[in-house]
Amino acid sequence: MDNSPQNDAPHQQRHTRGGRWLDPVFPTTGWVCRGIEDVGHEGRLCDVCQGVRIRFAHVMTHPDVSQALSAGLGCVEKMVDDPFTAEKRERAFRDDLRIRSDWPRRVWQVSRVGNPYINSRGYNIAIWNKGGAGFGVTIRLQNEFNNEFVRNDRRLFKTIEDAKAGALEILMDVRKERRDIDV
Ligand SMILES: [Zn+2]
């Protein structure tokens, strides 16, 4: 069996019942996720089961355990009360990574009033020329029938290219703010 993180779905590898799970004082509840890290293609061993290599490390802390543990989703799901949220959190993290890596290759359209725009994950992102002040970015929900969200970001950029790069960071902020999960 190929356990390398290069395969298509490293998160679906079966986490073992070994490692910390064999420790009788290892707490099986009360863990809090502090965030997720992409540890790269080579991956690292899951701190909890110590049996599989993981690409996306959920950083888990517990009041009775001195060190944070980097665990894969398969183990995290057994450490928290709400495995659905852990799965959602990892999905959002991976989606952000994908948006980020695709961004430089995205082709911007030009609106009827001449503004470059792009659509991504339900958002419409447009760049406005603010005269001598520079270029601004507006993000709104793409679906006009459900258009209750508009962000006219206050950041200004010197060039259109700067604004396109800045728009990615603003999109990431908006996605994070509007997500109903805490990390
Ligand atoms: Zn594990």
Side-chain angles (χ1 to χ4, degrees):
M1 179 184 155
D2 179 18
N3 256 345
S4 72
Q6 283 89 345
N7 68 23
D8 282 333
H11 62 298
Q12 285 173 358
Q13 292 168 35
R14 186 90 40 85
H15 284 249
T16 72
R17 295 179 177 278
R20 303 268 184 151
W21 294 115
L22 300 175
D23 177 351
V25 299
F26 180 70
T28 53
T29 56
W31 291 91
V32 175
C33 179
R34 301 299 177 186
I36 299 182
E37 291 170 0
D38 176 7
V39 299
H41 287 290
E42 304 218 332
R44 57 166 291 171
L45 210 53
C46 173
D47 280 342
V48 177
C49 66
Q50 297 159 12
V52 294
R53 295 188 78 78
I54 56 172
R55 165 88 190 254
F56 301 101
H58 297 236
V59 180
M60 307 299 290
T61 63
H62 190 282
D64 301 336
V65 178
S66 59
Q67 279 183 320
L69 300 180
S70 292
L73 183 58
C75 277
V76 170
E77 284 174 333
K78 291 186 269 179
M79 298 158 76
V80 295
D81 295 337
D82 182 6
F84 180 68
T85 296
E87 198 267 329
K88 231 165 113 179
R89 192 179 277 135
E90 176 164 321
R91 203 175 338 123
F93 182 86
R94 293 160 69 99
D95 206 27
D96 277 357
L97 276 186
R98 217 166 293 130
I99 293 170
R100 207 173 262 291
S101 65
D102 291 347
W103 198 254
R105 292 189 297 275
R106 295 290 313 271
V107 176
W108 292 67
Q109 317 285 315
V110 177
S111 74
R112 271 175 299 164
V113 290
N115 296 326
Y117 75 91
I118 204 168
N119 295 325
S120 176
R121 302 301 197 278
Y123 291 104
N124 172 266
I125 302 128
I127 293 174
W128 299 79
N129 188 343
K130 308 237 176 182
F135 295 88
V137 175
T138 294
I139 296 190
R140 64 178 74 234
L141 285 175
Q142 209 179 319
N143 181 354
E144 288 178 28
F145 302 106
N146 185 23
N147 211 351
E148 81 277 12
F149 175 80
V150 180
R151 161 80 50 87
N152 292 302
D153 199 82
R154 280 183 297 178
R155 278 167 267 189
L156 286 173
F157 302 92
K158 280 198 176 117
T159 66
I160 288 187
E161 287 314 307
D162 287 350
K164 287 177 178 176
L168 172 61
E169 303 310 321
I170 296 167
L171 175 63
M172 289 291 148
D173 290 350
V174 166
R175 279 173 54 86
K176 192 175 162 70
E177 284 167 28
R178 291 174 51 82
R179 214 170 266 159
D180 58 352
I181 45 180
D182 53 355
V183 179

